[in-house]
Amino acid sequence: MCRTESFENNLNFRIIITCRFKAVTPENLWNAFENVLYDEEFDLGTNVSVTEYMRSWTEQPGYPLVKIARNNGTFVITQQRFLVYGSNNTNNNVTEWIIGLTYTTQNRKDFNGVLPKIWLKGNETVLADPDGTGWYIFNLQSIGFFRVNYEEENWNALISQLHNNCNEIHVLNRAQLIDDAFNLAKANRMDYAMVLNLSEYLRNESDPIPWHSAQNGFTYLLNRMRRCPNGYKQLKTYVGHLAGLIYAKTEDLVVNRNSTDHTVNTGWNSFSSWACKLDNVQCTKSASSYFQKWRRGENIPADIRDAAFCVGVKHGDPEVWNSVLNVYVRSESASDRQSAQLALACSKDHVQLSKYLDFMFKGYNGPILPQDFRVIYRTLASTPQGIRALIDFLTTKLDRIVNEIINGEQVATSIYALLASKVARDEEIRKIDSLRKNPSVPERLRMQFDAAYRDQVDDDLAWFDDHHSIIGEWSTATVLRLGLSDDPTPGGPRPTSDDPSETWPSETPSGAVGRSLEASAFFWRVLFASAALWLCSSQRHLLSPP
């Protein structure tokens, strides 16, 4: 491998000599790379040049999906452009990249060999498989900018390994597997039941990095599943359970073990906000306690402040909301101001949320600075009550937004595009659909609204029809199997069948009869949940064509 200092010095020298008094072009840079690599006696690989490689990544849009299949002692490797929406037909997509491939297998488990073992040029290549059995992983430590998909058999083998001992797989590849799985399912290339089965391993995951991938994936699912209240409730219960686990682990490391690791401390900040937003009981109690300490004038850790302020506002009265607003207006601490601003959107009170949005009309004379307006509506769009407040704000006050707010048209189109990506319930969709068709709205705005609607809403409805049943059914069965409570009240998870004395009252039949009743209850709850999920599909309102 090239020595970094020698490589940089040589590269800088060649650029200066070649391009003195001239503009530097990409070709100049690629040629300089070629010459330096030659001087360093570094071989990229057979028939691979820097210029050819860099052009494949800088002169075409998107990034690749690499598919791996095991076949008769070989890996058959193909590529195509990864698209979440749009055609997945490889015949209509000739975009190709030069990709350096790294991999390891269950027998070898060498995650440090990050130099390419083979180059994928063109649509397909074949690589010898010396092991022939067990799981395999490509793109070690997620060093390449591409997604990877495997055959179902290998995905199942990887999931089994993660459940048995996740530390056998490098942490960056654990994060990669989660991120790839959620995005492959979103693009209809993987079954969501498999993705959710994969996610269960997180109960044993202590490193924050894979959790960030899971947090992103679940955020999308929860927003889309709002369309089906029962399925959403069950999924939220499951995700809230997971979020509570990593929240508790990071809080223990920071509070009880005095961890100074940056990843752990930022994780505590992120996961406490996540778990509390999902109404995790332990997180809500802890954050509420910190908020009360803050109100008494005590110092609280900076990394819990976002969650503490949000929980305080969420369960507080108007006086609490105003006190947090006062922090944003008067505090000299940028961190405190940011925590306060985010927390103001956590209120469940529609009047308070409307008041928060109306501050935008006051511009520089109001309590919220114009440069923070974007934070207001982006934060509100992360909660169901915030989405409703935003819809009412845009649909009832559009004229004022355009005429009274700085860059009003841009603000209106930004809010509409954000709502188009967030709306899920029929009432929400009808309101923004009516707005884009309203003849009293200026034509230039209607055109932008229409483009945002078409780009997002129809695709999201199609996604819901394809996937909500399997996600809802899986979540319902898993919540019951894990003994989780879907009632976000202090009391925690319901006891499991491992302790019959806690699971059943003393007068409940025991033994085989008790187990029979428990199984019967499980069956009926799953059946009722499935019926509720079916109703989500049957009750879908057909929106009138534009």
Side-chain angles (χ1 to χ4, degrees):
M1 184 176 289
C2 297
R3 293 165 296 174
T4 302
E5 184 177 355
S6 172
F7 178 84
E8 290 179 354
N9 290 338
N10 199 346
L11 180 63
N12 290 335
F13 175 76
R14 288 186 178 276
I15 289 292
I16 292 171
I17 293 299
T18 305
C19 302
R20 179 179 294 177
F21 308 122
K22 296 188 298 184
V24 179
T25 66
E27 286 70 21
N28 296 140
L29 182 59
W30 310 153
N31 289 334
F33 270 115
E34 294 275 15
N35 292 326
V36 173
L37 291 175
Y38 178 82
D39 291 345
E40 296 284 337
E41 298 182 349
F42 183 84
D43 184 17
L44 275 178
T46 306
N47 299 324
V48 176
S49 69
V50 171
T51 300
E52 187 181 16
Y53 172 82
M54 294 301 293
R55 282 179 174 173
S56 78
W57 287 95
T58 61
E59 296 182 2
Q60 56 186 356
Y63 61 91
L65 167 65
V66 174
K67 296 189 290 185
I68 318 292
R70 181 176 261 160
N71 182 31
N72 296 326
T74 64
F75 293 118
V76 179
I77 306 164
T78 59
Q79 66 161 302
Q80 67 182 107
R81 182 181 177 185
F82 180 74
L83 297 170
V84 173
Y85 303 112
S87 174
N88 291 323
N89 187 342
T90 56
N91 295 326
N92 297 330
N93 187 353
V94 295
T95 311
E96 294 174 349
W97 291 260
I98 298 176
I99 306 171
L101 297 172
T102 58
Y103 78 101
T104 193
T105 63
Q106 185 171 0
N107 292 335
R108 300 169 186 263
K109 295 175 184 170
D110 176 15
F111 287 90
N112 294 318
V114 294
L115 292 179
K117 292 182 171 63
I118 191 174
W119 291 87
L120 175 57
K121 295 179 66 177
N123 178 257
E124 181 177 320
T125 192
V126 177
L127 175 66
D129 173 15
D131 297 319
T133 59
W135 55 256
Y136 50 91
I137 287 182
F138 277 68
N139 196 16
L140 301 184
Q141 298 188 38
S142 196
I143 199 167
F145 189 64
F146 56 91
R147 298 200 183 279
V148 185
N149 197 7
Y150 305 103
E151 296 174 297
E152 184 175 338
E153 181 180 357
N154 191 57
W155 274 113
N156 286 328
L158 289 168
I159 292 171
S160 178
Q161 176 65 75
L162 290 171
H163 280 265
N164 293 332
N165 185 358
C166 65
N167 292 317
E168 292 290 302
I169 295 175
H170 194 282
V171 62
L172 295 179
N173 283 107
R174 302 200 298 268
Q176 173 204 15
L177 289 171
I178 293 173
D179 190 63
D180 281 350
F182 272 105
N183 281 280
L184 288 167
K186 186 177 178 181
N188 291 316
R189 295 178 177 274
M190 189 171 177
D191 189 87
Y192 266 111
M194 184 175 290
V195 178
L196 294 169
N197 288 336
L198 166 63
S199 75
E200 272 204 83
Y201 107 85
L202 289 165
R203 298 169 71 197
N204 301 317
E205 178 62 78
S206 298
D207 195 295
I209 295 175
W211 280 98
H212 288 297
S213 294
Q215 186 177 0
N216 292 334
F218 279 124
T219 296
Y220 177 82
L221 291 193
L222 284 164
N223 192 61
R224 297 273 61 82
M225 287 297 289
R226 286 194 308 110
R227 187 169 176 78
C228 188
N230 187 67
Y232 170 76
K233 181 180 181 182
Q234 302 301 324
L235 179 63
K236 181 182 175 184
T237 299
Y238 170 68
V239 179
H241 164 67
L242 291 182
L245 295 176
I246 188 59
Y247 155 75
K249 290 176 182 178
T250 52
E251 183 171 71
D252 177 63
L253 288 172
V254 175
V255 176
N256 299 324
R257 308 191 187 194
N258 300 315
S259 173
T260 58
D261 186 291
H262 177 72
T263 304
V264 173
N265 281 268
T266 56
W268 187 34
N269 179 295
S270 176
F271 301 137
S272 61
S273 295
W274 185 35
C276 286
K277 184 175 288 188
L278 292 165
D279 297 318
N280 177 270
V281 173
Q282 181 182 356
C283 180
T284 300
K285 284 183 176 180
S286 178
S288 180
S289 175
Y290 278 115
F291 184 72
Q292 295 307 319
K293 289 180 180 179
W294 171 80
R295 294 200 78 189
R296 291 194 299 267
E298 300 178 35
N299 289 326
I300 62 175
D303 291 314
I304 195 62
R305 193 174 293 124
D306 286 355
F309 280 17
C310 182
V311 168
V313 169
K314 186 176 183 179
H315 299 285
D317 54 23
E319 181 184 351
V320 170
W321 194 88
N322 287 323
S323 70
V324 173
L325 174 63
N326 194 52
V327 173
Y328 171 81
V329 173
R330 300 183 183 279
S331 176
E332 295 180 358
S333 166
S335 176
D336 285 358
R337 285 169 56 84
Q338 181 181 13
S339 295
Q341 185 180 13
L342 295 175
L344 291 171
C346 295
S347 173
K348 292 183 177 181
D349 188 323
H350 189 83
V351 174
Q352 288 177 345
L353 296 180
S354 297
K355 176 182 177 181
Y356 191 30
L357 286 165
D358 284 346
F359 285 149
M360 295 169 67
F361 294 127
K362 297 183 179 182
Y364 287 104
N365 296 319
I368 305 296
L369 298 174
Q371 58 263 37
D372 291 337
F373 287 174
R374 185 181 295 270
V375 178
I376 295 179
Y377 51 80
R378 287 195 173 275
T379 308
L380 283 169
S382 66
T383 65
Q385 63 269 18
I387 291 172
R388 290 191 291 272
L390 272 175
I391 291 173
D392 288 348
F393 179 69
L394 186 64
T395 55
T396 63
K397 302 176 182 179
L398 180 59
D399 287 341
R400 291 189 65 193
I401 294 171
V402 172
N403 296 314
E404 298 181 28
I405 295 178
I406 299 171
N407 299 319
E409 286 195 10
Q410 182 180 346
V411 169
T413 54
S414 295
I415 293 176
Y416 191 96
L418 184 62
L419 286 172
S421 70
K422 297 290 186 179
V423 292
R425 308 299 299 273
D426 279 331
E427 181 182 3
E428 298 167 354
I429 295 172
R430 278 197 298 269
K431 286 182 178 180
I432 70 165
D433 185 44
S434 296
L435 184 61
R436 71 175 175 130
K437 299 173 183 175
N438 189 335
S440 67
V441 175
E443 184 178 2
R444 61 185 178 278
L445 279 180
R446 278 190 285 121
M447 291 177 63
Q448 294 181 69
F449 290 172
D450 188 68
Y453 185 97
R454 292 176 180 274
D455 285 345
Q456 195 71 52
V457 176
D458 290 339
D459 285 332
D460 286 342
L461 289 173
W463 179 94
F464 179 84
D465 288 342
D466 289 340
H467 303 298
H468 82 278
S469 291
I470 193 166
I471 293 171
E473 290 169 5
W474 187 96
S475 301
T476 299
T478 302
V479 164
L480 289 170
R481 174 167 52 83
L482 297 179
L484 305 178
S485 171
D486 55 11
D487 179 19
T489 56
R494 283 194 296 265
T496 66
S497 57
D498 293 337
D499 186 353
S501 65
E502 295 184 6
T503 305
W504 297 101
S506 58
E507 68 273 17
T508 300
S510 59
V513 176
R515 288 191 295 273
S516 174
L517 289 173
E518 185 179 35
S520 177
F522 182 94
F523 169 79
W524 284 109
R525 288 189 67 185
V526 172
L527 181 62
F528 289 145
S530 298
L533 291 166
W534 175 81
L535 287 173
C536 289
S537 293
S538 65
Q539 292 178 349
R540 172 177 173 179
H541 295 278
L542 297 176
L543 301 178
S544 58

